[in-house]
């Protein structure tokens, strides 16, 4: 029974006084920081870019929720920690989410779960390819000026599934069925690409066309850009290396242990063993050596932000096209959180904060929404510990490049 007049039971007294709590505080929201994400979205126009790639089959005079509105709502849900589509049935009436979609508290509700589910199954392969190009265009538009060189980190990550999804494959290493999407970020953490694929190590024949499409899309925007590609040993194969050399792409790939790499430390291992044998053998002998043989990117940290903090592994749709679209939706949510962090002062601890920290500190803020005749008032907690940084970041968001 959900009666707002009934008090919550089980609360202990405080200072000798009983505590009475009811859900009668008025039109409140627990997500007032979503409005900051809405300001980021207005600058980056992520939802609009993705929506333009989809052919809307609906009759225009009967459309209640536009594609851009639905995509924007879904991305903000994900960024705020509501990764399940079912959450839309509760959040569609949330006053702050409504405001974030340019709707009044007293106006129409936002899209329901069933509507969003139809949206996820709408795009086909052609539309998804266009979305991939749109994500690259968004990446290029996020710079104030064309850089001389960019560093791209490419990696793949295992995504377990528990149903009959298309493209799923059993992975012996993880002992589960799943996907293993390839994702690409740049050195500063900007998102470029995500490709849904079966859970197996990618081959050179599979990686090469993906890189070709990606580099071509980047050079359409920046014809003279220098590109440095970084990846682990999965991507170090003759086909990829030959393609990079033929297309003027610099590369740094990791290698699994080889005889060549072991030569760097062979003498050190031998001398360390000799020292240990000549000692009393009562303690460990440690020696160190540094040599130049490669460089490591930060793709794993960016994948953590996208997959762990934004639940990008929630690929539970039956159709592969729907799951690929979900990857783009979560990529859009990543861009919103990245934009929020990019607007932070450089010396602020928030400038390097994880996405889950930003959500906890700046998005999960309670607010009472009062709609008046000529304005909407938000009453935020006076005790909010991070109100100063929220003021600063809202002033700085309009400076984001678009």
């Amino acid at each position: 029974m959900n009666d707002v007049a009934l008090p919550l039971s089980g609360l202990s007294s405080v200072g000798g006084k009983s505590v009475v709590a009811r859900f009668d505080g008025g039109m409140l929201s627990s997500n007032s920081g979503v409005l900051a994400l809405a300001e980021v979205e207005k600058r980056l126009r992520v939802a609009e870019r993705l929506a333009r790639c989809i052919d809307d089959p609906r009759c225009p005079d009967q459309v209640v929720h536009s594609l851009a509105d639905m995509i924007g709502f879904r991305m903000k849900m994900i960024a705020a920690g509501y990764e399940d589509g079912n959450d839309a049935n509760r959040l569609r009436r949330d006053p702050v989410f409504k405001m974030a979609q340019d709707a009044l508290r007293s106006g129409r509700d936002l899209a329901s779960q069933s509507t969003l589910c139809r949206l996820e199954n709408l795009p086909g392969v052609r539309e998804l390819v266009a979305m991939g190009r749109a994500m690259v265009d968004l990446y290029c538009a996020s710079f104030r000026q064309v850089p001389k060189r960019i560093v791209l980190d490419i990696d793949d990550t295992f995504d377990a599934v528990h149903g009959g999804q298309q493209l799923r494959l059993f992975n012996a290493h993880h002992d589960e069925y799943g996907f293993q999407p390839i994702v690409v970020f740049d050195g500063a953490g900007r998102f470029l690409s995500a490709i849904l694929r079966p859970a197996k190590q990618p081959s050179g024949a599979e990686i090469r066309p993906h890189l070709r499409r990606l580099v071509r899309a980047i050079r359409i925007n920046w014809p003279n850009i220098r590109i440095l590609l970084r990846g682990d040993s999965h991507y170090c194969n003759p086909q990829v290396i030959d393609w990079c050399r033929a297309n003027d792409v610099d590369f740094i790939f990791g290698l699994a242990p080889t005889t060549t790499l072991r030569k760097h430390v062979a003498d050190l291992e031998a001398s360390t063993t000799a020292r240990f044998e000549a000692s009393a053998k009562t303690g460990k002998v440690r020696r160190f050596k540094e040599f130049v043989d490669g460089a490591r990117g930060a793709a794993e940290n960016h994948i953590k932000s996208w997959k762990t903090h934004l639940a990008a592994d929630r690929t539970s749709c039956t159709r592969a096209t729907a799951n690929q679209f979900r990857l783009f939706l979560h990529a859009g949510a990543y861009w919103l959180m990245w934009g929020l962090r990019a607007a932070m002062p450089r010396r602020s601890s928030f400038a390097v904060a994880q996405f889950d920290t930003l959500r906890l500190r700046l998005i999960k803020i309670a607010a009472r929404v009062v709609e008046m005749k000529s304005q909407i008032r938000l009453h935020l907690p006076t005790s909010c510990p991070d109100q100063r940084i929220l003021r600063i970041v809202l002033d700085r968001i309009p400076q984001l490049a678009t």
Side-chain angles (χ1 to χ4, degrees):
M1 185 176 182
N2 188 23
D3 189 346
V4 297
L6 292 177
L8 290 176
S9 60
L11 297 177
S12 303
S13 60
V14 177
K17 297 183 179 181
S18 61
V19 177
V20 180
R22 295 186 176 90
F23 289 102
D24 59 355
M27 190 55 70
L28 299 172
S29 173
S30 303
N31 307 282
S32 61
V34 168
L35 295 177
L37 296 179
E39 296 301 322
V40 174
E41 211 285 323
K42 289 176 183 177
R43 298 294 299 173
L44 301 180
R45 297 179 292 111
V46 188
E48 178 186 337
R49 294 174 187 272
L50 295 180
R52 285 202 302 257
C53 302
I54 306 175
D55 295 328
D56 193 344
R58 300 174 297 174
C59 183
D61 59 353
Q62 296 182 8
V63 170
V64 177
H65 309 288
S66 70
L67 294 178
D69 282 343
M70 290 189 287
I71 292 174
F73 178 35
R74 189 72 175 94
M75 291 191 308
K76 295 179 184 74
M77 284 176 53
I78 294 169
Y82 303 101
E83 64 273 7
D84 285 334
N86 292 338
D87 295 323
N89 289 335
R90 295 181 290 273
L91 296 174
R92 62 194 302 244
R93 299 178 181 86
D94 186 288
V96 168
F97 273 97
K98 283 188 173 184
M99 292 173 62
Q101 292 306 118
D102 198 26
L104 295 175
R105 190 203 75 178
S106 58
R108 60 171 175 80
D109 292 340
L110 302 178
S112 65
Q113 178 272 336
S114 58
T115 302
L116 294 178
C117 182
R118 289 191 292 271
L119 168 68
E120 290 179 346
N121 286 275
L122 180 59
V125 174
R126 181 175 60 84
E127 289 88 351
L128 293 171
V129 171
M131 288 183 198
R133 292 194 295 265
M135 296 301 294
V136 175
D137 292 340
L138 169 61
Y139 167 75
C140 294
S142 68
F143 288 81
R144 290 193 172 277
Q145 58 185 11
V146 179
K148 294 182 179 180
R149 189 182 77 164
I150 57 175
V151 179
L152 303 184
D153 292 320
I154 184 170
D155 204 352
D156 48 80
T157 179
F158 181 74
D159 174 4
V161 298
H162 306 284
Q165 291 89 341
Q166 293 177 348
L167 294 185
R168 72 167 191 153
L169 186 69
F170 184 78
N171 186 289
H173 176 75
H174 295 278
D175 196 27
E176 286 187 280
Y177 282 91
F179 305 123
Q180 196 159 323
I182 294 177
V183 290
V184 181
F185 300 85
D186 81 346
R190 293 176 175 87
F191 198 104
L192 271 93
S193 175
I195 300 295
L196 187 77
R197 51 181 301 282
K200 61 180 180 179
Q201 180 174 322
S203 65
E206 183 181 3
I207 298 167
R208 187 172 54 186
H210 176 49
L211 290 178
R212 182 172 60 248
R213 289 189 297 267
L214 181 63
V215 171
R216 180 187 301 159
I218 294 173
R219 286 178 171 165
I220 288 175
N221 289 275
W222 299 330
N224 300 317
I225 190 71
R226 296 294 306 175
I227 299 175
L228 171 63
L229 185 66
R230 295 189 299 198
D232 61 17
S233 57
H234 288 184
Y235 302 90
C236 186
N237 60 68
Q239 290 174 302
V240 176
I241 292 175
D242 291 345
W243 182 88
C244 289
R245 287 172 173 164
N247 290 272
D248 198 24
V249 174
D250 301 325
F251 58 90
I252 300 175
F253 294 135
L255 291 172
T258 63
T259 55
T260 302
L261 292 177
R262 292 199 62 84
K263 287 179 181 178
H264 286 288
V265 296
D267 293 341
L268 185 65
E269 286 181 334
S271 63
T272 302
T273 301
R275 283 192 180 189
F276 180 74
E277 294 296 334
S279 67
K281 298 183 180 181
T282 57
K284 296 180 179 179
V285 177
R286 294 186 178 93
R287 300 184 68 193
F288 304 90
K289 181 178 181 180
E290 180 179 356
F291 59 91
V292 177
D293 203 274
R296 185 175 180 85
E300 291 88 351
N301 292 332
H302 306 321
I303 289 174
K304 177 183 177 182
S305 298
W306 180 61
K307 180 179 175 181
T308 304
H309 302 158
L310 297 176
D313 58 349
R314 196 60 61 92
T315 46
S316 56
C317 295
T318 301
R319 298 173 59 188
T321 51
N323 284 322
Q324 175 64 66
F325 184 38
R326 281 195 174 185
L327 294 186
F328 286 139
L329 290 174
H330 288 264
Y334 180 99
W335 269 105
L336 297 184
M337 295 299 287
W338 182 91
L340 182 65
R341 186 172 62 187
M344 299 291 172
R346 290 187 178 181
R347 296 186 178 182
S348 168
S349 60
F350 285 96
V352 293
Q354 295 186 150
F355 285 174
D356 57 347
T357 300
L358 293 179
R359 177 190 298 136
L360 179 64
R361 302 284 292 274
L362 298 179
I363 295 178
K364 295 299 183 181
I365 301 175
R368 181 161 59 93
V369 182
V370 179
E371 183 181 343
M372 307 178 73
K373 184 176 181 180
S374 60
Q375 65 178 201
I376 299 174
R377 290 184 178 178
L378 287 180
H379 297 271
L380 304 173
T382 305
S383 60
C384 177
D386 298 303
Q387 53 185 282
R388 178 177 175 274
I389 194 66
L390 188 58
R391 291 179 186 273
I392 293 174
V393 76
L394 285 174
D395 288 337
R396 293 170 62 94
I397 285 175
Q399 302 173 20
L400 289 174
T402 58

